[in-house]
Amino acid sequence: MTRHTGRSWARVLTARSDRRPRSRRPEDPRGTGGWRGKFERRSPRTPSGRRGQAWLSMRTVAGQVFILQLVIVLLLVGASVVSLLLVSRHDTTEEARNRCLAVATSFANSPGIAPALDARDPTAILQPRAEAVREATDVDFVVVINTKGIRLTHPNPERIGEHFIGTIGPSLKGQTITETVPGTLGPSVRAVTPVKDSIGRVVGLVSAGITIEKVNSLATREVPILLSAAAASLVLATGGTALVSGRLRRQTHGLDPIEMTRMYDHHDAVLHVVKEGVLIVDGERRLVLANDEAIRLLGLPPQPEGRAVTELGLDPVMAGMLASGRVASDEVLATGERLLVVNNRPTDRNGGPPGCVATLRDSTELRVLTGRAEVAQKQLKLLYDASTEIGTTLDVTRTAEELARVAVPRFADFATVDLAEAVLRGEEPAGLTSVSEVHRTAVVGIRDDHPFYELGRDIAFRSSTPQAWTLESGRGTAVPDLRLDTGWRAQDPEATGRVLAYGVHSLVTAPLRARGVLLGMVNFWRAEKPEPFEDEDVSLAEELANHAAVCIDNARRYTREHTMAETLQRSLLPQVLPDQNALDVAYRYLPAEAGVGGDWFDVIPLPGARVALVVGDVVGHGLLAAATMGRLRTAVHNFSSLDLPPDEILSLLDDLVTRIDHDEGIAGGGAMITGATCLYAIYDPVTRLCSMARAGHPPPALVHTDGSVEFLDLPASTPLGLGGLPFETAELRLPEASHLVLYTDGLIEDRNREIDAGLDLLREALSHPDRDPEETCSAVLEALLPDRPSDDIALIVARTRVLHPDRIAEWEVPAHPSEVSHVRADVARQLVDWSLEEMAYTTELILSELITNAIRYALGPIRVRLLRDRTLICEVSDFSSTSPHLRYAAATDEGGRGLFLVAQFTERWGTRYTADGKVIWAEQSLP
């Protein structure tokens, strides 16, 4: 017998909706199947006259459809008429109400109405106007009423002077009302509105009215249209019935019930004889038909028709296909001990009933081929997952763990990864051999109580082990049975005995090689899986290892670059804070998780016991940012030695960044600095003045002694290198023991937190003045440090100190050489008070030279100041901007040796300029 495909059976059996009993008795006129229900109609050979009677008969579908459509049309027409009348009545009343209200209100508020009511004869004035308005607006009446309710106008002059019939009480109180009242001409609507004078007093009323019949025309216009639509609907219903009847005749192909029964019997015989399973499922996912072959192949229970496909005990895949109606073409499904080739097609493609038809062929001989295909599919899926799950980070250890996790439990029960120690440090291994030590980097298994070497252990494999062979040859190898491998057991008899006792029975090892360099190896172990590793598993293990090796090598190179950048950055940052007495300073620096950046800070002692605090941020991460940060920090140290104000320091830095960008642009290919911010502050412990300027940097915070926190409003300027606005210096006097807090934006800004929220958290963390700077730094980081910092964080907390007055001595010196001796005597006495008598001679010599130069070359008064801090500081200030220079005097020169002597007797000396002159200073070490 010719074999039918699923598509051919779908065409043959599309119209069937149920299966009749197996007896297939031709004399049963109806049976239980859907064939007779669908084809129980007259043959199209019926004469035309009788066919017309069949259309109108209640026993025919056409007649029932006709009667039903006629009833529906009549109901719709009746409902439409009633709805139209109700809506028209409501709209008519509203239209009459609005028209009356508009006429009455407009007339009452028209000019001259209120004065006319106070006239001697208001009727003579208002009657003509009211009639003109009535005729123009097509209302029935416009009546003006005085406050006593007497009509002053009316369309019928005889009713003028009579009382107005209606409600006027609310209108006398200033309200406008409308009401519907019965009238002699039918229901009417009237509106009454007050007439008010210039001060808002009601002086009369205006009423306008119209009968509802006068505006009632909507229903009259639309009823004929509705009736015409009803007639058209009846005509369409009759035509539709004829079309339905014709389609029924075409679908039955003119067959009478006997012919249809005969055709059904033939099809039923074919279905149960053919050696191909056939299943028909209806739209409710119930089994309509299953032939003998389908029952045998699927092991269906007796009489399965009428039951849901999910209740037949089918394989889940098969049941899911039939329940969903999914289209399948020659799809191989495993059902029990058989492999079935399944075709499934819907039955409603060409207007048939909803459902599907499935055909089944037994293809058990394809089991072996299918098994291999499944194995290959699983391997491809494993490799695909490895490509997405390995290498998600640039961390060597994390990547090794990902390699182990992707293989467990799909490929192995346990996986261990051993890498060269140099790889973990980011270095390139010199070359692994069979005697090289490797570091156990990852261990992953189906259970945590594994018997293998622990993490972190350095392992040297014996030359007889498969691991040593892999390191030596660079190729993978499989050990199907570890119990028989004496070379592997010789590695460590005690440890290998524990592995075997645990149940581990098979091993495959593969090298981790990238760019021709061996980085380590991976070992896959099986314990619960009974299948041993075979040679064909080696290729899969090597594929996994090759992909992971590339990711590990990328992570290694990133680790090397990150380590280099971090080492460079830490070498460029302050290693220890300099000694000074002006501030009690604590700091924190934390690099970003993504890599080191360009955040930096500095504490720079300045002459006069002053200290400069600097915080900066170079945009970006990596070596370029770290190198740029080092250049800026070096420049700040050099510029600070000039003892310039903060705004001039920032201007010099801005020029430097601009010049660096210009040089990089000329060189070509260099990465330019896309932004750098800086905050520079100078604190003077003598005057408690703090001078600050910033370039695009977050403002500093000041913690007062009472615990209040203030973010200082410094003049804002653009970041360094962008040019534009000049920098400005702000000065304020800081209280003793207050805390000045400088930070970078990485502290307050995060991907999941706005800057304002970060400032609020910082304010709350700082509002504890009893903490010292170290405790404050720890508290701030605990409150604001994110779990995974995306940017560097630099933080400085400085508690202010004050140089006490008993450590300061000042004199004002008249500009005359004879005053030098007096100053020297005063200085000697002050040094005796400070117990520094042994420094008196040197100090007098230094001050004599500096004061003499000031008297000789400077203008204005001269001031001398001694500061006893970590050193003895001598300062001479004047109003001249000329700075002395050290030079070598010739043997014949009478002068020029004073500054040379000053330089010899002091640790350091120099000049700093002020707003009105200069200060020459010199420092001496205390004994």
Side-chain angles (χ1 to χ4, degrees):
M1 181 174 290
T2 303
R3 179 174 57 87
H4 294 276
T5 63
R7 185 180 301 274
S8 63
W9 282 117
R11 288 198 302 266
V12 172
L13 302 174
T14 295
R16 180 184 175 104
S17 62
D18 200 358
R19 179 173 179 245
R20 72 181 187 82
R22 307 300 288 283
S23 61
R24 304 187 298 275
R25 293 177 298 171
E27 61 273 20
D28 185 1
R30 299 183 59 86
T32 59
W35 292 90
R36 290 167 178 78
K38 290 183 177 293
F39 295 108
E40 194 170 340
R41 284 286 313 279
R42 284 282 187 166
S43 171
R45 293 189 293 269
T46 304
S48 59
R50 296 185 61 186
R51 185 164 60 246
Q53 295 176 2
W55 289 358
L56 299 179
S57 174
M58 287 296 294
R59 297 178 58 184
T60 65
V61 175
Q64 294 176 3
V65 170
F66 178 81
I67 299 300
L68 179 60
Q69 289 183 347
L70 179 61
V71 172
I72 292 175
V73 170
L74 292 176
L75 289 176
L76 290 176
V77 171
S80 299
V81 171
V82 173
S83 176
L84 177 62
L85 293 177
L86 293 176
V87 172
S88 176
R89 181 176 180 182
H90 177 268
D91 293 344
T92 300
T93 304
E94 286 298 316
E95 173 65 20
R97 192 187 311 275
N98 294 337
R99 186 183 300 182
C100 293
L101 184 60
V103 172
T105 303
S106 300
F107 190 82
N109 293 322
S110 60
I113 298 300
L117 289 171
D118 294 333
R120 177 175 299 177
D121 188 4
T123 301
I125 300 173
L126 297 175
Q127 176 70 6
R129 298 175 63 179
E131 287 302 299
V133 170
R134 180 181 65 82
E135 294 176 358
T137 59
D138 199 23
V139 297
D140 292 331
F141 63 87
V142 176
V143 177
V144 181
I145 311 162
N146 62 16
T147 56
K148 297 180 180 180
I150 303 301
R151 296 190 184 100
L152 301 180
T153 66
H154 196 277
N156 186 359
E158 295 179 359
R159 296 189 177 182
I160 296 176
E162 296 179 357
H163 280 279
F164 177 78
I165 301 175
T167 304
I168 62 174
S171 298
L172 293 174
K173 297 179 181 180
Q175 300 180 10
T176 299
I177 64 171
T178 59
E179 59 182 353
T180 302
V181 297
T184 57
L185 299 178
S188 62
V189 177
R190 65 177 60 173
V192 181
T193 186
V195 179
K196 299 180 180 180
D197 57 10
S198 59
I199 63 175
R201 182 170 52 90
V202 177
V203 297
L205 307 174
V206 175
S207 176
I210 187 172
T211 58
I212 296 177
E213 184 181 4
K214 203 166 189 178
V215 294
N216 188 12
S217 60
L218 179 62
T220 304
R221 294 194 304 268
E222 294 188 2
V223 166
I225 299 175
L226 183 62
L227 294 177
S228 300
S233 299
L234 291 174
V235 173
L236 291 175
T238 304
T241 303
L243 292 175
V244 170
S245 178
R247 181 164 184 176
L248 287 175
R249 290 197 312 275
R250 289 192 299 273
Q251 289 182 344
T252 57
H253 302 287
L255 298 176
D256 57 24
I258 296 176
E259 294 173 332
M260 292 172 59
T261 300
R262 186 182 302 112
M263 182 181 66
Y264 167 81
D265 291 337
H266 292 164
H267 288 174
D268 200 20
V270 171
L271 285 175
H272 293 285
V273 173
V274 68
K275 299 303 292 182
E276 188 173 82
V278 178
L279 298 173
I280 300 179
V281 180
D282 62 12
E284 297 180 356
R285 303 311 172 194
R286 293 185 177 275
L287 186 63
V288 175
L289 180 143
N291 68 348
D292 296 339
E293 185 67 9
I295 293 175
R296 183 184 69 84
L297 293 177
L298 297 177
L300 297 178
Q303 299 296 326
E305 290 84 355
R307 300 171 62 177
V309 294
T310 56
E311 300 174 357
L312 298 175
L314 298 175
D315 181 80
V317 179
M318 175 67 75
M321 175 188 296
L322 297 176
S324 63
R326 177 172 60 87
V327 175
S329 298
D330 293 334
E331 186 171 327
V332 179
L333 298 179
T335 302
E337 298 296 328
R338 293 184 174 87
L339 287 178
L340 302 180
V341 179
V342 182
N343 289 276
N344 192 38
R345 294 291 185 275
T347 59
D348 55 357
R349 286 187 172 181
N350 299 319
C356 60
V357 175
T359 60
L360 315 172
R361 296 198 311 274
D362 190 1
S363 300
T364 308
E365 65 275 7
L366 299 176
R367 178 179 296 274
V368 177
L369 180 60
T370 303
R372 293 178 180 176
E374 289 180 354
V375 171
Q377 184 179 10
K378 290 180 180 179
Q379 291 179 352
L380 291 175
K381 181 66 167 56
L382 178 61
L383 293 175
Y384 173 78
D385 292 342
S387 66
T388 58
E389 298 176 11
I390 300 176
T392 59
T393 65
L394 291 174
D395 182 81
V396 174
T397 302
R398 178 73 176 273
T399 305
E401 292 176 353
E402 291 172 346
L403 167 60
R405 291 187 185 281
V406 79
V408 176
R410 289 181 289 181
F411 181 62
D413 296 322
F414 294 92
T416 60
V417 180
D418 303 322
L419 298 177
E421 186 70 30
V423 175
L424 298 174
R425 297 193 301 267
E427 303 170 3
E428 188 166 319
L432 291 176
T433 64
S434 59
V435 297
S436 300
E437 281 193 348
V438 290
H439 187 81
R440 177 57 52 88
T441 309
V443 179
V444 176
I446 56 176
R447 292 190 299 272
D448 295 334
D449 57 336
H450 62 82
F452 307 102
Y453 289 136
E454 65 276 3
L455 284 175
R457 179 167 177 172
D458 293 328
I459 308 170
F461 290 100
R462 290 179 176 268
S463 58
S464 61
T465 61
Q467 290 89 345
W469 187 87
T470 294
L471 292 177
E472 186 69 27
S473 64
R475 300 194 303 273
T477 183
V479 181
D481 193 344
L482 291 173
R483 293 170 296 182
L484 303 179
D485 193 294
T486 56
W488 172 78
R489 300 185 65 176
Q491 166 69 25
D492 186 347
E494 181 180 355
T496 55
R498 290 196 304 268
V499 172
L500 293 175
Y502 192 84
V504 178
H505 59 82
S506 187
L507 162 70
V508 63
T509 181
L512 295 170
R513 182 185 296 274
R515 299 181 298 106
V517 178
L518 190 61
L519 307 177
M521 62 182 169
V522 57
N523 305 296
F524 301 104
W525 314 80
R526 281 183 179 172
E528 290 191 356
K529 289 183 174 62
E531 304 86 1
F533 284 116
E534 299 177 354
D535 292 339
E536 60 184 15
D537 293 318
V538 175
S539 60
L540 176 60
E542 289 179 339
E543 288 288 340
L544 289 173
N546 291 337
H547 175 74
V550 174
C551 298
I552 291 174
D553 188 58
N554 291 337
R556 178 194 63 79
R557 288 188 288 176
Y558 171 78
T559 301
R560 179 183 60 184
E561 180 181 348
H562 179 78
T563 303
M564 292 173 57
E566 187 173 356
T567 303
L568 173 63
Q569 186 185 44
R570 291 197 177 277
S571 66
L572 295 175
L573 290 172
Q575 304 302 312
V576 293
L577 295 181
D579 294 332
Q580 45 83 30
N581 289 336
L583 296 169
D584 184 8
V585 180
Y587 69 92
R588 295 289 188 275
Y589 173 79
L590 296 174
E593 187 179 77
V596 296
D599 289 18
W600 55 284
F601 66 93
D602 224 326
V603 179
I604 306 173
L606 298 178
R610 297 169 303 139
V611 175
L613 299 177
V614 192
V615 173
D617 183 5
V618 177
V619 174
H621 296 86
L623 290 175
L624 176 62
T628 304
M629 176 271 292
R631 298 172 73 176
L632 293 181
R633 180 169 178 259
T634 302
V636 168
H637 271 270
N638 293 332
F639 295 152
S640 296
S641 65
L642 301 176
D643 210 348
L644 299 174
D647 57 332
E648 296 188 26
I649 295 287
L650 294 183
S651 297
L652 293 174
L653 286 176
D654 184 67
D655 293 339
L656 173 63
V657 173
T658 303
R659 188 163 56 254
I660 292 174
D661 281 347
H662 180 265
D663 295 343
E664 293 289 348
I666 292 177
M672 300 177 65
I673 303 173
T674 58
T677 66
C678 185
L679 173 61
Y680 193 94
I682 300 176
Y683 174 69
D684 188 348
V686 178
T687 61
R688 294 188 289 111
L689 280 178
C690 185
S691 305
M692 290 177 280
R694 61 173 176 148
H697 203 82
L702 178 62
V703 183
H704 294 274
T705 55
D706 60 355
S708 60
V709 180
E710 175 188 4
F711 291 100
L712 302 179
D713 187 15
L714 303 183
S717 299
T718 57
L720 300 175
L722 300 183
L725 298 176
F727 304 102
E728 298 182 48
T729 297
E731 288 188 350
L732 67 156
R733 202 174 301 274
L734 303 182
E736 184 179 2
S738 60
H739 291 72
L740 186 63
V741 181
L742 284 66
Y743 53 91
T744 55
D745 58 356
L747 179 68
I748 59 175
E749 189 176 6
D750 188 58
R751 296 188 185 97
N752 303 319
R753 183 176 62 205
E754 297 293 337
I755 295 181
D756 292 340
L759 291 175
D760 292 339
L761 291 175
L762 179 59
R763 185 191 304 274
E764 183 179 353
L766 292 175
S767 59
H768 299 278
D770 54 329
R771 295 173 177 163
D772 60 26
E774 284 290 340
E775 294 173 343
T776 302
C777 285
S778 300
V780 167
L781 292 184
E782 182 179 356
L784 281 87
L785 184 65
D787 296 334
R788 301 169 66 90
S790 59
D791 196 4
D792 294 2
I793 295 175
L795 172 67
I796 296 180
V797 178
R799 182 167 56 189
T800 60
R801 296 174 178 172
V802 176
L803 192 63
H804 295 290
D806 59 355
R807 291 176 172 266
I808 305 171
E810 294 184 281
W811 299 273
E812 187 167 344
V813 183
H816 194 275
S818 62
E819 297 295 329
V820 177
S821 60
H822 300 297
V823 174
R824 294 176 59 180
D826 293 338
V827 169
R829 285 191 294 271
Q830 183 63 56
L831 293 178
V832 171
D833 294 341
W834 285 346
S835 300
L836 298 175
E837 298 91 343
E838 58 189 82
M839 302 181 65
Y841 177 76
T842 305
T843 305
E844 291 177 17
L845 179 62
I846 293 171
L847 287 176
S848 295
E849 177 60 30
L850 296 180
I851 295 173
T852 301
N853 282 342
I855 293 174
R856 181 177 300 174
Y857 302 109
L859 301 174
I862 301 171
R863 296 190 63 83
V864 176
R865 186 170 71 169
L866 287 183
L867 302 177
R868 182 185 177 186
D869 193 40
R870 291 180 175 270
T871 60
L872 180 63
I873 304 171
C874 303
E875 296 182 347
V876 177
S877 58
D878 56 51
F879 286 85
S880 172
S881 59
T882 303
S883 176
H885 296 281
L886 181 67
R887 65 183 180 87
Y888 288 97
T892 58
D893 291 344
E894 296 182 359
R897 297 176 180 84
L899 289 180
F900 181 80
L901 294 176
V902 171
Q904 294 297 316
F905 288 116
T906 61
E907 283 192 349
R908 58 176 185 160
W909 72 280
T911 304
R912 73 172 182 270
Y913 294 93
T914 62
D916 50 6
K918 69 176 182 297
V919 175
I920 303 176
W921 54 270
E923 293 184 3
Q924 302 176 74
S925 298
L926 296 177

